[in-house]
Amino acid sequence: MDVLTAHARTWIEASASAPTVRALDAIYAQLAEEVSRRGPACWASGRCCNFAKTGHRLYCTGLEAAYTVVRLERPPSEGDLRSARERGGCPLQVRNLCGAHSIRPMGCRVYFCDKSATEWQRDLSERTLGAIRDLHDAHAIPYVYAEWGQLLEALSPLVRAES
Protein backbone atom coordinates (compact mmCIF):
# COMPACT_ATOMS: atom_id res chain seq x y z
CA MET A 1 0.00 0.00 0.00
CA ASP A 2 1.46 3.37 -0.96
CA VAL A 3 1.61 6.35 1.39
CA LEU A 4 -1.30 8.18 -0.28
CA THR A 5 -3.63 5.21 0.01
CA ALA A 6 -2.46 4.58 3.57
CA HIS A 7 -3.49 8.09 4.70
CA ALA A 8 -6.52 8.68 2.46
CA ARG A 9 -9.14 7.63 5.02
CA THR A 10 -7.54 9.83 7.72
CA TRP A 11 -7.58 12.86 5.38
CA ILE A 12 -11.23 12.26 4.50
CA GLU A 13 -12.15 12.06 8.19
CA ALA A 14 -10.13 15.19 8.99
CA SER A 15 -11.79 17.08 6.14
CA ALA A 16 -15.14 16.48 7.87
CA SER A 17 -13.93 17.63 11.31
CA ALA A 18 -15.43 21.03 12.16
CA PRO A 19 -12.31 22.41 13.92
CA THR A 20 -10.07 21.34 11.04
CA VAL A 21 -12.46 22.77 8.42
CA ARG A 22 -12.72 26.08 10.30
CA ALA A 23 -8.94 26.33 10.49
CA LEU A 24 -8.46 25.53 6.78
CA ASP A 25 -11.25 27.92 5.81
CA ALA A 26 -9.52 30.66 7.84
CA ILE A 27 -6.22 30.01 6.03
CA TYR A 28 -8.02 30.17 2.68
CA ALA A 29 -9.79 33.41 3.71
CA GLN A 30 -6.47 35.03 4.64
CA LEU A 31 -5.01 33.89 1.33
CA ALA A 32 -8.00 35.36 -0.54
CA GLU A 33 -7.48 38.71 1.19
CA GLU A 34 -3.82 38.80 0.22
CA VAL A 35 -4.54 37.81 -3.39
CA SER A 36 -7.29 40.42 -3.58
CA ARG A 37 -4.89 43.15 -2.42
CA ARG A 38 -2.53 42.16 -5.26
CA GLY A 39 -5.28 42.18 -7.88
CA PRO A 40 -3.80 39.69 -10.38
CA ALA A 41 -5.51 39.33 -13.73
CA CYS A 42 -7.56 36.20 -14.38
CA TRP A 43 -8.85 35.73 -17.91
CA ALA A 44 -10.90 32.60 -17.09
CA SER A 45 -9.15 30.94 -20.01
CA GLY A 46 -8.73 27.61 -18.26
CA ARG A 47 -5.01 27.60 -19.01
CA CYS A 48 -4.17 27.22 -15.33
CA CYS A 49 -6.04 23.90 -15.30
CA ASN A 50 -4.16 22.56 -18.30
CA PHE A 51 -0.95 21.66 -16.53
CA ALA A 52 0.82 20.12 -19.53
CA LYS A 53 0.32 23.14 -21.77
CA THR A 54 1.34 25.68 -19.13
CA GLY A 55 4.34 23.70 -17.99
CA HIS A 56 3.41 23.41 -14.33
CA ARG A 57 2.13 20.75 -11.99
CA LEU A 58 -0.29 21.23 -9.15
CA TYR A 59 0.75 19.97 -5.74
CA CYS A 60 -1.21 20.13 -2.50
CA THR A 61 -1.56 18.35 0.81
CA GLY A 62 -3.67 15.26 1.33
CA LEU A 63 -5.99 17.23 3.61
CA GLU A 64 -6.58 19.88 0.94
CA ALA A 65 -7.35 17.27 -1.69
CA ALA A 66 -9.77 15.50 0.67
CA TYR A 67 -11.41 18.84 1.57
CA THR A 68 -12.11 19.32 -2.13
CA VAL A 69 -13.17 15.79 -3.04
CA VAL A 70 -15.65 15.30 -0.18
CA ARG A 71 -17.39 18.57 -1.09
CA LEU A 72 -17.82 17.78 -4.76
CA GLU A 73 -21.29 16.96 -5.99
CA ARG A 74 -19.74 14.02 -7.85
CA PRO A 75 -16.15 12.90 -7.20
CA PRO A 76 -14.20 12.20 -10.39
CA SER A 77 -14.67 8.73 -11.83
CA GLU A 78 -11.78 6.50 -12.88
CA GLY A 79 -12.50 7.53 -16.47
CA ASP A 80 -12.42 11.24 -15.55
CA LEU A 81 -9.09 10.77 -13.80
CA ARG A 82 -7.59 8.74 -16.67
CA SER A 83 -8.76 11.25 -19.29
CA ALA A 84 -7.33 14.19 -17.31
CA ARG A 85 -4.01 12.40 -16.88
CA GLU A 86 -3.83 11.66 -20.62
CA ARG A 87 -4.53 15.26 -21.64
CA GLY A 88 -2.33 16.71 -18.88
CA GLY A 89 -5.08 18.65 -17.15
CA CYS A 90 -7.39 18.72 -14.17
CA PRO A 91 -10.39 16.37 -14.02
CA LEU A 92 -12.41 19.10 -12.31
CA GLN A 93 -12.13 21.56 -15.21
CA VAL A 94 -15.47 22.17 -16.91
CA ARG A 95 -14.91 23.81 -20.29
CA ASN A 96 -12.62 26.71 -19.38
CA LEU A 97 -13.74 27.00 -15.77
CA CYS A 98 -12.90 25.36 -12.48
CA GLY A 99 -15.62 22.95 -11.42
CA ALA A 100 -14.47 23.23 -7.81
CA HIS A 101 -13.61 26.92 -7.61
CA SER A 102 -14.89 27.62 -4.09
CA ILE A 103 -13.29 24.45 -2.66
CA ARG A 104 -10.04 24.29 -4.63
CA PRO A 105 -6.65 23.77 -2.94
CA MET A 106 -4.16 26.51 -2.10
CA GLY A 107 -2.04 25.94 -5.21
CA CYS A 108 -5.01 26.83 -7.40
CA ARG A 109 -5.93 29.83 -5.26
CA VAL A 110 -2.50 31.43 -5.60
CA TYR A 111 -1.61 30.53 -9.20
CA PHE A 112 -2.33 33.06 -11.93
CA CYS A 113 -1.24 33.10 -15.56
CA ASP A 114 -0.56 36.82 -15.03
CA LYS A 115 3.24 37.00 -15.35
CA SER A 116 3.38 40.05 -13.05
CA ALA A 117 2.24 37.78 -10.21
CA THR A 118 5.19 35.39 -10.35
CA GLU A 119 7.33 36.84 -7.56
CA TRP A 120 4.66 37.37 -4.93
CA GLN A 121 2.98 34.05 -5.80
CA ARG A 122 6.04 32.13 -4.63
CA ASP A 123 6.27 33.96 -1.32
CA LEU A 124 2.55 33.80 -0.60
CA SER A 125 2.45 30.13 -1.55
CA GLU A 126 5.32 29.26 0.82
CA ARG A 127 3.79 31.21 3.73
CA THR A 128 0.37 29.67 3.19
CA LEU A 129 1.81 26.19 2.84
CA GLY A 130 3.55 26.76 6.19
CA ALA A 131 0.21 27.62 7.79
CA ILE A 132 -1.34 24.49 6.29
CA ARG A 133 1.58 22.43 7.59
CA ASP A 134 1.01 23.92 11.06
CA LEU A 135 -2.68 22.94 10.77
CA HIS A 136 -1.67 19.35 10.01
CA ASP A 137 0.63 19.33 13.03
CA ALA A 138 -1.93 20.94 15.37
CA HIS A 139 -4.60 18.37 14.47
CA ALA A 140 -2.24 15.35 14.17
CA ILE A 141 -3.09 14.90 10.49
CA PRO A 142 -0.47 13.07 8.41
CA TYR A 143 1.30 15.59 6.19
CA VAL A 144 1.95 14.57 2.62
CA TYR A 145 2.52 17.09 -0.15
CA ALA A 146 1.87 15.37 -3.46
CA GLU A 147 0.73 15.83 -7.03
CA TRP A 148 -2.97 16.72 -7.34
CA GLY A 149 -3.90 13.92 -9.75
CA GLN A 150 -2.26 11.26 -7.60
CA LEU A 151 -4.14 12.49 -4.54
CA LEU A 152 -7.44 12.52 -6.43
CA GLU A 153 -6.77 8.95 -7.57
CA ALA A 154 -6.23 7.86 -3.96
CA LEU A 155 -9.20 9.73 -2.49
CA SER A 156 -11.95 9.63 -5.11
CA PRO A 157 -12.69 5.88 -4.98
CA LEU A 158 -13.16 6.06 -1.20
CA VAL A 159 -15.49 9.06 -1.42
CA ARG A 160 -17.45 7.48 -4.31
CA ALA A 161 -17.86 4.30 -2.24
CA GLU A 162 -19.35 6.31 0.63
CA SER A 163 -21.82 8.12 -1.65
Side-chain angles (χ1 to χ4, degrees), residues 1-123:
M1 176 182 303
D2 68 37
V3 70
L4 301 183
T5 304
H7 295 306
R9 174 73 48 214
T10 302
W11 294 327
I12 290 168
E13 291 169 3
S15 73
S17 162
T20 302
V21 170
R22 278 193 302 272
L24 188 56
D25 284 343
I27 291 168
Y28 286 161
Q30 177 63 38
L31 175 61
E33 286 178 29
E34 293 194 42
V35 167
S36 179
R37 279 196 298 271
R38 299 287 187 162
C42 178
W43 300 285
S45 66
R47 287 181 288 180
C48 56
C49 299
N50 191 324
F51 311 131
K53 285 186 181 174
T54 55
H56 76 95
R57 293 180 71 186
L58 175 63
Y59 284 80
C60 67
T61 69
L63 174 62
E64 289 181 280
Y67 174 95
T68 300
V69 173
V70 301
R71 287 164 178 75
L72 290 170
E73 187 174 310
R74 184 185 69 82
S77 68
E78 287 180 39
D80 295 334
L81 294 166
R82 184 179 46 256
S83 175
R85 186 175 45 255
E86 289 169 0
R87 72 175 187 278
C90 180
L92 305 183
Q93 185 179 21
V94 180
R95 292 174 206 68
N96 285 343
L97 300 175
C98 177
H101 194 264
S102 66
I103 55 174
R104 67 200 189 283
M106 183 273 297
C108 296
R109 293 169 188 259
V110 75
Y111 181 83
F112 293 89
C113 297
D114 181 349
K115 297 296 182 202
S116 69
T118 304
E119 286 304 314
W120 63 262
Q121 282 174 329
R122 244 178 268 134
D123 178 57

